[in-house]
Amino acid sequence: IQFGLGGAGTFSDGKLNTGTKNPAHRLILETFVEAGAPRDILWDAKPHIGSDILPKVVTAISQRIEQLGGVVRYRTKLVDIRIDASGAITGIDVQSSQDAAYEPIETKHLILACGHSARDIFELLKDHNVALAQKTFAMGVRIEHPQRDIDRAQYGASAGHPALGAAPYKLVAHLPNGRSVFSFCMCPGGFIVPAMTDAAQSVVNGMSPSGRTSPYANSGLVTEVRLADFEHLRAEWGELAGLKFQQRFEESARQRGGEHQIAPAQRVADFVAGRASGSLPRTSYIPGITPSRLDEWMPGFIAQGLRQGIATFGRRMRGYLTNEAVVVGVESRTSTPVRVPRDPGTLMHPETKGLFPAGEGAGYAGGIISAALDGERIAEAVKNYIR
Protein backbone atom coordinates (compact mmCIF):
# COMPACT_ATOMS: atom_id res chain seq x y z
CA ILE A 1 0.00 0.00 0.00
CA GLN A 2 3.02 2.30 0.35
CA PHE A 3 4.87 1.28 -2.82
CA GLY A 4 4.34 0.57 -6.50
CA LEU A 5 2.60 2.74 -9.08
CA GLY A 6 1.96 6.07 -7.41
CA GLY A 7 3.28 4.87 -4.06
CA ALA A 8 1.14 5.64 -1.03
CA GLY A 9 -0.54 8.38 -3.07
CA THR A 10 -2.48 5.85 -5.12
CA PHE A 11 -4.13 4.60 -1.92
CA SER A 12 -4.66 8.10 -0.58
CA ASP A 13 -7.29 10.48 -1.88
CA GLY A 14 -5.30 13.11 -3.72
CA LYS A 15 -5.37 16.06 -1.33
CA LEU A 16 -3.64 18.79 -3.30
CA ASN A 17 -3.46 21.48 -0.62
CA THR A 18 -0.19 23.36 -0.65
CA GLY A 19 1.36 26.33 1.06
CA THR A 20 3.76 26.93 -1.80
CA LYS A 21 3.69 30.26 -3.63
CA ASN A 22 5.45 28.69 -6.62
CA PRO A 23 3.22 29.43 -9.65
CA ALA A 24 4.40 26.19 -11.25
CA HIS A 25 2.01 24.30 -8.99
CA ARG A 26 -0.73 25.35 -11.44
CA LEU A 27 0.97 23.21 -14.09
CA ILE A 28 0.88 20.25 -11.70
CA LEU A 29 -2.88 20.68 -11.30
CA GLU A 30 -3.34 20.94 -15.06
CA THR A 31 -1.38 17.71 -15.52
CA PHE A 32 -3.75 15.95 -13.15
CA VAL A 33 -6.77 17.31 -15.03
CA GLU A 34 -5.33 16.10 -18.34
CA ALA A 35 -4.98 12.67 -16.73
CA GLY A 36 -8.64 12.58 -15.68
CA ALA A 37 -8.89 14.50 -12.41
CA PRO A 38 -11.97 16.73 -11.95
CA ARG A 39 -11.54 20.25 -13.33
CA ASP A 40 -12.63 21.87 -10.07
CA ILE A 41 -9.16 21.23 -8.62
CA LEU A 42 -8.02 24.18 -10.79
CA TRP A 43 -10.01 26.68 -8.71
CA ASP A 44 -10.94 24.95 -5.47
CA ALA A 45 -9.15 26.42 -2.43
CA LYS A 46 -8.67 22.90 -1.08
CA PRO A 47 -8.42 20.72 -4.20
CA HIS A 48 -9.20 17.03 -3.76
CA ILE A 49 -9.32 14.26 -6.37
CA GLY A 50 -10.85 11.43 -4.34
CA SER A 51 -9.75 7.88 -3.55
CA ASP A 52 -12.18 6.50 -6.16
CA ILE A 53 -10.76 8.64 -9.00
CA LEU A 54 -7.08 8.91 -8.11
CA PRO A 55 -5.99 5.39 -9.22
CA LYS A 56 -7.27 6.15 -12.73
CA VAL A 57 -5.34 9.42 -12.76
CA VAL A 58 -2.11 7.77 -11.64
CA THR A 59 -2.55 5.02 -14.25
CA ALA A 60 -3.07 7.62 -17.00
CA ILE A 61 0.12 9.46 -15.97
CA SER A 62 2.07 6.20 -16.05
CA GLN A 63 0.72 5.39 -19.51
CA ARG A 64 1.71 8.86 -20.72
CA ILE A 65 5.28 8.29 -19.47
CA GLU A 66 5.42 5.07 -21.50
CA GLN A 67 4.00 6.80 -24.58
CA LEU A 68 6.83 9.32 -24.34
CA GLY A 69 9.44 6.55 -24.31
CA GLY A 70 9.83 5.97 -20.59
CA VAL A 71 9.93 2.47 -19.14
CA VAL A 72 8.05 1.66 -15.94
CA ARG A 73 9.18 -1.53 -14.21
CA TYR A 74 6.32 -2.91 -12.15
CA ARG A 75 6.84 -5.44 -9.34
CA THR A 76 10.53 -4.63 -9.39
CA LYS A 77 12.56 -3.86 -6.29
CA LEU A 78 15.79 -1.90 -5.96
CA VAL A 79 18.09 -4.27 -4.06
CA ASP A 80 21.53 -2.73 -4.48
CA ILE A 81 23.31 0.45 -5.55
CA ARG A 82 26.76 0.11 -7.06
CA ILE A 83 29.24 2.85 -6.12
CA ASP A 84 32.89 2.89 -7.23
CA ALA A 85 35.93 3.77 -5.13
CA SER A 86 35.63 7.46 -6.03
CA GLY A 87 32.09 7.59 -4.61
CA ALA A 88 30.30 7.72 -7.98
CA ILE A 89 27.18 5.78 -8.98
CA THR A 90 27.96 3.08 -11.57
CA GLY A 91 24.70 1.15 -11.58
CA ILE A 92 21.92 -0.52 -9.64
CA ASP A 93 20.61 -4.05 -9.19
CA VAL A 94 16.90 -4.84 -9.26
CA GLN A 95 14.85 -7.95 -8.53
CA SER A 96 11.52 -8.86 -10.10
CA SER A 97 10.52 -11.44 -7.49
CA GLN A 98 11.84 -12.73 -4.18
CA ASP A 99 13.45 -15.75 -5.80
CA ALA A 100 14.66 -14.07 -8.98
CA ALA A 101 18.31 -13.34 -9.70
CA TYR A 102 19.50 -9.75 -9.39
CA GLU A 103 19.35 -7.87 -12.68
CA PRO A 104 22.00 -5.18 -13.22
CA ILE A 105 21.14 -1.81 -14.77
CA GLU A 106 24.07 0.36 -15.73
CA THR A 107 23.66 4.06 -14.96
CA LYS A 108 25.65 7.03 -13.73
CA HIS A 109 22.57 8.93 -12.57
CA LEU A 110 20.06 7.72 -9.99
CA ILE A 111 17.05 9.77 -8.88
CA LEU A 112 16.12 8.30 -5.52
CA ALA A 113 12.44 9.07 -4.90
CA CYS A 114 11.72 6.11 -2.64
CA GLY A 115 8.89 7.48 -0.48
CA HIS A 116 8.84 7.81 3.29
CA SER A 117 8.26 4.10 4.06
CA ALA A 118 11.16 2.52 2.14
CA ARG A 119 13.10 1.48 5.22
CA ASP A 120 15.12 -1.08 3.28
CA ILE A 121 16.44 1.72 1.03
CA PHE A 122 17.63 3.79 3.97
CA GLU A 123 19.34 0.71 5.40
CA LEU A 124 20.91 0.00 2.00
CA LEU A 125 22.32 3.53 1.84
CA LYS A 126 23.71 3.19 5.35
CA ASP A 127 25.33 -0.15 4.43
CA HIS A 128 27.09 1.65 1.55
CA ASN A 129 28.23 4.45 3.87
CA VAL A 130 26.13 7.01 1.99
CA ALA A 131 25.80 9.97 4.33
CA LEU A 132 22.35 10.36 5.90
CA ALA A 133 20.92 12.84 8.39
CA GLN A 134 18.35 12.60 11.16
CA LYS A 135 15.30 14.85 11.10
CA THR A 136 12.26 15.58 13.21
CA PHE A 137 8.90 14.12 12.29
CA ALA A 138 5.49 13.58 13.94
CA MET A 139 3.46 10.62 15.22
CA GLY A 140 0.17 10.00 16.98
CA VAL A 141 -3.19 8.46 16.15
CA ARG A 142 -6.16 8.66 13.81
CA ILE A 143 -9.15 10.28 15.47
CA GLU A 144 -12.60 9.50 14.08
CA HIS A 145 -15.94 11.24 14.74
CA PRO A 146 -19.41 10.83 13.31
CA GLN A 147 -19.44 13.29 10.40
CA ARG A 148 -22.70 14.77 11.68
CA ASP A 149 -20.91 15.97 14.85
CA ILE A 150 -18.23 17.76 12.82
CA ASP A 151 -20.92 19.26 10.56
CA ARG A 152 -22.79 20.62 13.59
CA ALA A 153 -19.63 22.05 15.09
CA GLN A 154 -18.59 23.75 11.85
CA TYR A 155 -21.93 24.69 10.25
CA GLY A 156 -24.22 25.13 13.25
CA ALA A 157 -27.89 25.32 12.28
CA SER A 158 -26.96 24.92 8.60
CA ALA A 159 -25.51 21.45 9.16
CA GLY A 160 -26.94 18.96 6.71
CA HIS A 161 -27.61 21.46 3.94
CA PRO A 162 -26.82 19.67 0.65
CA ALA A 163 -24.84 22.63 -0.67
CA LEU A 164 -22.31 22.45 2.16
CA GLY A 165 -21.10 18.87 1.95
CA ALA A 166 -19.05 17.14 4.64
CA ALA A 167 -17.31 19.67 6.90
CA PRO A 168 -13.52 19.59 7.29
CA TYR A 169 -11.42 21.00 10.11
CA LYS A 170 -7.83 22.00 10.73
CA LEU A 171 -6.60 22.30 14.31
CA VAL A 172 -3.32 23.07 16.05
CA ALA A 173 -2.46 23.56 19.71
CA HIS A 174 0.83 24.91 21.06
CA LEU A 175 1.50 23.20 24.37
CA PRO A 176 3.20 24.67 27.47
CA ASN A 177 6.21 22.36 26.95
CA GLY A 178 6.91 23.94 23.55
CA ARG A 179 5.61 21.06 21.44
CA SER A 180 2.65 21.28 19.09
CA VAL A 181 -0.28 18.94 18.46
CA PHE A 182 -2.04 19.24 15.12
CA SER A 183 -4.53 17.59 12.81
CA PHE A 184 -3.02 16.06 9.69
CA CYS A 185 -4.58 14.76 6.46
CA MET A 186 -8.15 15.39 7.60
CA CYS A 187 -10.68 13.25 5.71
CA PRO A 188 -14.30 14.48 5.81
CA GLY A 189 -16.78 11.82 4.78
CA GLY A 190 -13.92 9.35 4.68
CA PHE A 191 -12.48 6.06 5.87
CA ILE A 192 -9.61 4.92 8.06
CA VAL A 193 -7.49 2.43 6.12
CA PRO A 194 -4.55 0.12 6.94
CA ALA A 195 -1.14 1.45 5.89
CA MET A 196 1.40 -0.93 7.42
CA THR A 197 4.27 -2.33 5.36
CA ASP A 198 5.01 -5.33 7.58
CA ALA A 199 2.86 -7.89 9.35
CA ALA A 200 4.45 -6.93 12.68
CA GLN A 201 3.07 -3.37 12.53
CA SER A 202 -0.23 -1.57 13.01
CA VAL A 203 -0.33 1.64 10.97
CA VAL A 204 -3.42 3.52 9.83
CA ASN A 205 -4.09 6.33 7.38
CA GLY A 206 -7.17 8.06 6.01
CA MET A 207 -8.86 8.72 2.68
CA SER A 208 -12.06 10.19 1.27
CA PRO A 209 -13.88 9.31 -1.97
CA SER A 210 -14.62 12.21 -4.28
CA GLY A 211 -18.19 12.58 -2.96
CA ARG A 212 -17.12 12.42 0.70
CA THR A 213 -20.24 10.43 1.48
CA SER A 214 -19.07 8.28 4.39
CA PRO A 215 -20.85 8.96 7.73
CA TYR A 216 -17.45 9.32 9.39
CA ALA A 217 -14.82 12.05 9.61
CA ASN A 218 -11.24 11.13 10.47
CA SER A 219 -7.94 12.90 10.80
CA GLY A 220 -4.40 12.22 11.80
CA LEU A 221 -3.75 13.75 15.24
CA VAL A 222 -0.04 13.96 15.87
CA THR A 223 2.67 15.65 17.89
CA GLU A 224 6.23 16.42 16.93
CA VAL A 225 9.02 13.94 17.62
CA ARG A 226 12.35 15.62 18.30
CA LEU A 227 15.87 14.27 17.90
CA ALA A 228 16.27 14.08 21.68
CA ASP A 229 13.30 11.70 21.90
CA PHE A 230 15.24 8.93 20.17
CA GLU A 231 18.79 9.85 21.16
CA HIS A 232 18.94 6.65 23.25
CA LEU A 233 18.81 4.63 20.01
CA ARG A 234 21.54 6.55 18.22
CA ALA A 235 24.49 4.54 19.61
CA GLU A 236 23.14 1.37 17.97
CA TRP A 237 21.35 2.74 14.90
CA GLY A 238 23.10 6.00 14.06
CA GLU A 239 21.14 8.16 11.61
CA LEU A 240 18.41 5.48 11.45
CA ALA A 241 17.54 5.98 15.14
CA GLY A 242 14.35 7.89 14.35
CA LEU A 243 13.28 5.21 11.90
CA LYS A 244 13.72 2.54 14.59
CA PHE A 245 11.79 4.67 17.10
CA GLN A 246 8.95 4.92 14.58
CA GLN A 247 9.07 1.19 13.90
CA ARG A 248 8.89 0.27 17.60
CA PHE A 249 5.84 2.52 18.02
CA GLU A 250 4.09 0.63 15.19
CA GLU A 251 5.08 -2.76 16.59
CA SER A 252 3.72 -1.82 20.02
CA ALA A 253 0.41 -0.97 18.36
CA ARG A 254 0.31 -4.34 16.62
CA GLN A 255 0.92 -6.17 19.90
CA ARG A 256 -2.09 -4.40 21.42
CA GLY A 257 -4.26 -4.81 18.35
CA GLY A 258 -4.42 -8.24 16.85
CA GLU A 259 -4.21 -10.39 13.77
CA HIS A 260 -5.85 -9.54 10.44
CA GLN A 261 -4.85 -5.86 10.80
CA ILE A 262 -7.18 -5.21 13.75
CA ALA A 263 -6.12 -1.92 15.33
CA PRO A 264 -6.00 -0.85 19.00
CA ALA A 265 -8.46 1.92 19.87
CA GLN A 266 -9.89 3.92 22.77
CA ARG A 267 -12.87 6.25 23.12
CA VAL A 268 -11.67 9.84 23.02
CA ALA A 269 -13.03 10.99 26.39
CA ASP A 270 -11.62 7.82 27.98
CA PHE A 271 -8.22 8.49 26.41
CA VAL A 272 -8.12 12.03 27.81
CA ALA A 273 -9.32 10.87 31.24
CA GLY A 274 -6.87 7.95 31.34
CA ARG A 275 -9.42 5.16 31.70
CA ALA A 276 -10.19 1.98 29.79
CA SER A 277 -12.98 1.79 27.21
CA GLY A 278 -15.28 -1.13 27.89
CA SER A 279 -16.69 -0.94 24.38
CA LEU A 280 -16.04 0.99 21.21
CA PRO A 281 -18.29 2.85 18.77
CA ARG A 282 -18.75 1.79 15.16
CA THR A 283 -15.88 2.67 12.86
CA SER A 284 -15.07 3.05 9.18
CA TYR A 285 -11.95 0.91 9.65
CA ILE A 286 -12.94 -2.31 7.88
CA PRO A 287 -10.44 -4.74 9.56
CA GLY A 288 -11.91 -3.67 12.91
CA ILE A 289 -10.72 -2.16 16.19
CA THR A 290 -10.26 -3.57 19.69
CA PRO A 291 -10.21 -1.75 23.06
CA SER A 292 -6.74 -0.81 24.31
CA ARG A 293 -5.29 1.72 26.75
CA LEU A 294 -3.30 3.63 24.13
CA ASP A 295 -2.29 6.14 26.78
CA GLU A 296 -0.46 3.39 28.71
CA TRP A 297 1.77 1.93 26.01
CA MET A 298 2.61 4.80 23.65
CA PRO A 299 5.60 7.03 24.50
CA GLY A 300 4.66 9.26 27.40
CA PHE A 301 5.31 12.56 25.64
CA ILE A 302 3.01 11.51 22.77
CA ALA A 303 0.18 10.43 25.10
CA GLN A 304 0.51 13.58 27.23
CA GLY A 305 0.67 15.83 24.18
CA LEU A 306 -2.36 14.26 22.52
CA ARG A 307 -4.40 14.49 25.73
CA GLN A 308 -3.60 18.17 26.11
CA GLY A 309 -4.26 18.81 22.45
CA ILE A 310 -7.64 17.04 22.43
CA ALA A 311 -8.68 18.89 25.59
CA THR A 312 -7.78 22.19 23.91
CA PHE A 313 -9.65 21.28 20.73
CA GLY A 314 -12.65 20.20 22.80
CA ARG A 315 -12.90 23.71 24.20
CA ARG A 316 -12.72 25.19 20.70
CA MET A 317 -15.03 22.79 18.87
CA ARG A 318 -18.22 21.46 20.47
CA GLY A 319 -18.52 17.71 20.13
CA TYR A 320 -14.82 17.09 19.56
CA LEU A 321 -14.04 15.68 23.03
CA THR A 322 -16.69 12.99 23.29
CA ASN A 323 -16.96 9.26 23.78
CA GLU A 324 -18.78 9.01 20.45
CA ALA A 325 -15.34 9.59 18.91
CA VAL A 326 -12.46 7.14 18.92
CA VAL A 327 -8.66 7.28 18.62
CA VAL A 328 -7.13 4.46 16.54
CA GLY A 329 -3.47 3.43 16.60
CA VAL A 330 -1.23 4.46 15.08
CA GLU A 331 -0.59 7.34 12.65
CA SER A 332 3.18 7.26 12.22
CA ARG A 333 3.98 7.80 8.53
CA THR A 334 3.51 11.55 8.43
CA SER A 335 7.01 12.04 7.04
CA THR A 336 10.35 10.28 6.94
CA PRO A 337 12.62 10.36 10.02
CA VAL A 338 15.64 10.43 7.68
CA ARG A 339 16.92 13.00 5.22
CA VAL A 340 19.25 12.09 2.35
CA PRO A 341 21.51 15.16 2.02
CA ARG A 342 21.98 17.04 -1.23
CA ASP A 343 23.98 20.03 -2.37
CA PRO A 344 21.76 23.14 -2.51
CA GLY A 345 23.25 24.14 -5.87
CA THR A 346 23.46 20.89 -7.82
CA LEU A 347 20.74 19.05 -5.84
CA MET A 348 23.05 16.02 -5.96
CA HIS A 349 24.24 14.14 -2.88
CA PRO A 350 27.33 16.01 -1.64
CA GLU A 351 29.46 12.86 -1.43
CA THR A 352 27.91 10.31 -3.80
CA LYS A 353 28.32 11.52 -7.38
CA GLY A 354 25.27 10.95 -9.57
CA LEU A 355 22.82 10.36 -6.70
CA PHE A 356 19.86 12.77 -6.70
CA PRO A 357 17.61 12.42 -3.62
CA ALA A 358 14.05 13.56 -4.36
CA GLY A 359 10.64 14.02 -2.86
CA GLU A 360 9.07 13.12 0.43
CA GLY A 361 11.12 10.02 1.17
CA ALA A 362 14.39 11.89 0.88
CA GLY A 363 13.08 14.60 3.20
CA TYR A 364 12.34 17.41 0.71
CA ALA A 365 8.56 17.44 0.40
CA GLY A 366 5.46 17.15 2.55
CA GLY A 367 2.65 16.40 0.14
CA ILE A 368 1.69 15.61 -3.44
CA ILE A 369 2.21 19.11 -4.86
CA SER A 370 5.49 19.81 -3.08
CA ALA A 371 6.79 16.38 -4.11
CA ALA A 372 5.82 17.01 -7.73
CA LEU A 373 7.54 20.40 -7.73
CA ASP A 374 10.64 18.85 -6.18
CA GLY A 375 10.62 16.18 -8.89
CA GLU A 376 10.61 18.87 -11.56
CA ARG A 377 13.57 20.61 -9.88
CA ILE A 378 15.48 17.33 -9.79
CA ALA A 379 14.72 16.60 -13.45
CA GLU A 380 16.19 20.00 -14.39
CA ALA A 381 19.20 19.38 -12.14
CA VAL A 382 19.93 16.01 -13.77
CA LYS A 383 19.57 17.55 -17.23
CA ASN A 384 22.03 20.32 -16.35
CA TYR A 385 24.44 17.83 -14.77
CA ILE A 386 24.47 15.60 -17.88
CA ARG A 387 25.21 18.63 -20.06
Side-chain angles (χ1 to χ4, degrees), residues 29-365:
L29 297 177
E30 290 174 353
T31 298
F32 281 128
V33 170
E34 290 172 4
R39 290 194 60 81
D40 60 18
I41 68 171
L42 296 176
W43 57 79
D44 197 324
K46 296 180 179 179
H48 169 254
I49 295 176
S51 55
D52 48 340
I53 297 175
L54 186 60
K56 302 173 186 176
V57 174
V58 174
T59 299
I61 291 173
S62 176
Q63 292 172 343
R64 179 60 175 156
I65 290 170
E66 293 176 320
Q67 290 168 3
L68 292 170
V71 176
V72 182
R73 297 284 296 273
Y74 301 99
R75 299 185 179 275
T76 302
K77 181 179 180 180
L78 173 65
V79 290
D80 201 8
I81 301 172
R82 284 178 272 119
I83 304 171
D84 67 16
S86 70
I89 296 285
T90 61
I92 62 172
D93 291 334
V94 298
Q95 190 178 30
S96 58
S97 70
Q98 192 169 359
D99 299 325
Y102 288 9
E103 176 187 347
I105 298 177
E106 305 304 318
T107 182
K108 296 181 179 179
H109 318 103
L110 174 62
I111 299 174
L112 192 66
C114 58
H116 61 42
S117 291
R119 290 173 175 163
D120 59 322
I121 299 299
F122 300 130
E123 292 168 354
L124 176 62
L125 294 174
K126 188 174 186 296
D127 289 343
H128 282 292
N129 296 315
V130 175
L132 301 171
Q134 299 180 99
K135 63 180 285 290
T136 59
F137 55 108
M139 296 197 300
V141 295
R142 275 271 147 186
I143 185 168
E144 183 171 71
H145 294 79
Q147 181 65 53
R148 66 175 185 275
D149 291 351
I150 301 301
D151 290 346
R152 290 168 184 162
Q154 298 293 71
Y155 297 147
S158 298
H161 192 287
L164 292 175
Y169 64 81
K170 184 176 182 179
L171 298 167
V172 62
H174 302 291
L175 307 181
N177 63 6
R179 295 184 195 263
S180 296
V181 172
F182 55 96
S183 61
F184 174 83
C185 185
M186 195 272 151
C187 300
F191 302 88
I192 298 177
V193 294
M196 63 283 292
T197 50
D198 188 278
Q201 307 156 359
S202 178
V203 182
V204 292
N205 202 341
M207 64 169 61
S208 298
S210 55
R212 291 176 165 169
T213 52
S214 163
Y216 301 98
N218 75 79
S219 176
L221 191 68
V222 297
T223 187
E224 57 188 304
V225 179
R226 299 171 175 172
L227 302 187
D229 296 323
F230 48 85
E231 178 61 31
H232 61 287
L233 297 174
R234 183 170 169 78
E236 180 178 2
W237 298 104
E239 285 71 23
L240 301 185
L243 187 151
K244 294 300 175 181
F245 186 77
Q246 180 190 59
Q247 184 175 338
R248 290 181 180 182
F249 185 48
E250 299 166 357
E251 291 171 350
S252 293
R254 181 59 181 236
Q255 290 166 11
R256 274 78 177 183
E259 298 298 321
H260 311 296
Q261 302 179 342
I262 293 173
Q266 193 173 1
R267 289 180 183 265
V268 167
D270 291 339
F271 175 78
V272 173
R275 60 178 178 251
S277 297
S279 63
L280 296 172
R282 295 174 66 89
T283 178
S284 68
Y285 185 64
I286 292 175
I289 54 179
T290 188
S292 175
R293 284 285 303 272
L294 276 69
D295 58 302
E296 287 189 336
W297 54 260
M298 64 173 51
F301 75 92
I302 296 181
Q304 180 184 11
L306 294 181
R307 278 178 173 152
Q308 293 176 319
I310 292 172
T312 300
F313 302 149
R315 292 189 290 271
R316 296 180 191 169
M317 181 185 289
R318 179 179 296 180
Y320 194 85
L321 203 176
T322 169
N323 260 349
E324 293 304 305
V326 64
V327 285
V328 181
V330 294
E331 170 77 66
S332 54
R333 306 289 178 93
T334 57
S335 66
T336 175
V338 180
R339 174 173 285 115
V340 187
R342 66 188 189 193
D343 182 273
T346 64
L347 303 186
M348 186 169 62
H349 192 280
E351 298 175 6
T352 306
K353 186 177 179 181
L355 178 64
F356 291 86
E360 192 169 356
Y364 297 97

Side-chain angles (χ1 to χ4, degrees), residues 364-385:
Y364 297 97
I368 293 173
I369 296 295
S370 59
L373 290 170
D374 193 62
E376 290 204 339
R377 292 182 65 210
I378 290 295
E380 289 292 331
V382 174
K383 184 175 69 173
N384 293 334
Y385 176 69

